[in-house]
Amino acid sequence: MPPDFLRIGLIERQVATRCEYSFGTHAQSKVYEKSTLDLVMRDAFIKTSRFLTTTKGLTEDEAISLISVAVDFDVTQVVDGNRGVHAIIRKPLFAE
């Protein structure tokens, strides 16, 4: 990653202990229910907002506005139940 970027990330680890579903007419919908990135995306958003408010002195509203226009969220990994989302913020936004 170039030096003018800041990366904030989260990786959620889940270990599958057993297979809950057998193949059937609803197998595909059950797989999609278990494979959402909603929680890790929400957590990455919250941690990015917290980072901006604590380290850069922004208000919560300013942080949310900045996140909505200047932060890229990328999926880090989706393997074996491990899900990761990271935020990329350009460092020149905070040049002093």
Side-chain angles (χ1 to χ4, degrees), residues 5 67 70-74 86-89:
F5 285 90
I67 290 170
V71 176
D72 292 323
F73 289 96
D74 290 329
H86 65 268
I88 299 174
I89 306 170

Side-chain angles (χ1 to χ4, degrees), residues 10 12 15 31 40 53 57 65 86:
L10 165 78
E12 176 188 280
V15 178
V31 168
V40 291
T53 56
S65 295
H86 65 268

Side-chain angles (χ1 to χ4, degrees), residues 13 17 19 23-24 38 40 42 48 59-60 68 70-71 75 92:
R13 298 194 185 276
T17 55
C19 180
F23 294 108
D38 290 346
V40 291
R42 180 177 298 136
T48 303
T59 66
E60 187 176 353
S68 67
V71 176
V75 175

Side-chain angles (χ1 to χ4, degrees), residues 45 61-71 73:
F45 180 88
D61 290 337
E62 291 170 335
I64 291 171
S65 295
L66 183 64
I67 290 170
S68 67
V69 297
V71 176
F73 289 96

Side-chain angles (χ1 to χ4, degrees), residues 10 37-49 73 85:
L10 165 78
L37 291 171
D38 290 346
L39 294 177
V40 291
M41 181 60 205
R42 180 177 298 136
D43 194 50
F45 180 88
I46 290 168
K47 288 182 178 181
T48 303
S49 176
F73 289 96
V85 173

Side-chain angles (χ1 to χ4, degrees), residues 17-33:
T17 55
R18 62 186 168 85
C19 180
E20 295 182 28
Y21 305 103
S22 60
F23 294 108
T25 57
H26 301 291
Q28 187 173 11
S29 64
K30 296 296 182 183
V31 168
Y32 286 125
E33 285 176 10

